[in-house]
Amino acid sequence: ESMKDFSRSGLDLPPDKLKEVNVIKKKLAKLSTEFDNNINQDKSSITVKKEGLQGLDDDFINQLKKSGDSYILTCDYPVFFKVMDYCSIESTRKKLYLAFNNRAYPKNEEILKEVIALRDQLARKLGFKSYADLDIDSEMAKDSNNVKKFLLDLISKVQGKARQELEELSSSEHIELMDGKFKPWDMRYVKE
């Protein structure tokens, strides 16, 4: 396994190819840090009226900053998860979900595209057909085809139970399915 780790790191490549791999790894590390920093520095928020905070406790609401008669919901984790878990107003959950998942956009869009391209390039230089195969090579599944096969097999086995649970969970008065599926901003609320 250690030898495979060395190989996945490119240590069995000729010196010029290893140098190329190391250059890619350095670029990836720099881009990943820049990507994370952009998200951490993002100050996205939404504002909602008091009636948009139903389901949230008064202690939480009283700690929120205000702008006139509206409350400011920031995209930091404590606020985001509390709203996603407990706010019974779908429009509030949706607005905050979209703001949270679009942090550092469009700033990170080009970075993400470059990371994807560099990861693909790295995987191919190391002898893998994709980054997914490189990433999973040291795991039990070994390659992305095995993962796909496993997931498809699993899906076929759990569909009946999933339909039953979907019907049960979707009976909430605050949840409306979209094309028979939960909307992403409803998932944490439904689970809670």
Side-chain angles (χ1 to χ4, degrees):
E1 200 53 47
S2 293
M3 295 302 288
K4 287 181 182 179
D5 286 340
F6 292 142
S7 182
R8 279 188 292 272
S9 296
L11 296 177
D12 58 349
L13 295 173
D16 59 324
K17 298 291 182 194
L18 178 59
K19 186 176 180 180
E20 290 173 13
V21 164
N22 287 333
V23 167
I24 292 171
K25 286 180 178 181
K26 284 181 185 176
K27 284 182 187 176
L28 282 169
K30 182 179 180 266
L31 289 169
S32 295
T33 300
E34 187 178 344
F35 186 91
D36 290 343
N37 285 341
N38 289 341
I39 289 175
N40 291 335
Q41 293 168 4
D42 187 284
K43 301 296 180 207
S44 295
S45 64
I46 65 167
T47 57
V48 295
K49 303 280 187 208
K50 173 89 173 184
E51 54 271 12
L53 300 174
Q54 291 176 27
L56 297 166
D57 61 77
D58 289 335
D59 288 339
F60 174 78
I61 294 170
N62 292 334
Q63 292 177 1
L64 296 172
K65 291 181 181 175
K66 289 184 79 173
S67 173
D69 64 345
S70 294
Y71 291 84
I72 300 170
L73 298 176
T74 59
C75 289
D76 59 42
Y77 289 108
V79 172
F80 175 75
F81 289 126
K82 186 84 166 183
V83 171
M84 291 296 110
D85 287 350
Y86 299 108
C87 184
S88 62
I89 306 301
E90 179 187 359
S91 60
T92 300
R93 291 193 311 268
K94 179 180 180 179
K95 281 173 55 180
L96 188 58
Y97 176 88
L98 293 173
F100 181 86
N101 283 290
N102 283 292
R103 290 169 298 156
Y105 175 82
K107 206 176 204 179
N108 274 348
E109 184 176 21
E110 288 306 312
I111 295 172
L112 184 58
K113 288 177 182 177
E114 192 173 349
V115 165
I116 291 169
L118 285 170
R119 283 179 171 180
D120 184 62
Q121 194 178 19
L122 175 66
R124 293 177 191 284
K125 286 193 179 294
L126 293 172
F128 294 89
K129 63 182 178 181
S130 70
Y131 185 76
D133 286 313
L134 167 61
D135 193 45
I136 201 165
D137 183 62
S138 63
E139 305 298 327
M140 184 170 45
K142 295 294 180 210
D143 69 47
S144 59
N145 287 331
N146 289 337
V147 172
K148 287 177 193 173
K149 183 178 179 255
F150 171 78
L151 290 174
L152 290 172
D153 184 48
L154 185 62
I155 287 170
S156 69
K157 291 178 180 175
V158 300
Q159 279 182 330
K161 180 70 172 159
R163 257 188 241 101
Q164 178 186 356
E165 287 184 9
L166 179 64
E167 287 174 23
E168 188 178 321
L169 290 172
S170 64
S171 65
S172 168
E173 64 186 71
H174 300 292
I175 301 300
E176 194 175 305
L177 299 180
M178 183 170 50
D179 297 326
K181 298 176 184 169
F182 284 108
K183 294 169 235 161
W185 48 85
D186 289 337
M187 291 304 299
R188 289 187 63 91
Y189 180 74
V190 169
K191 287 179 183 178
E192 186 57 39

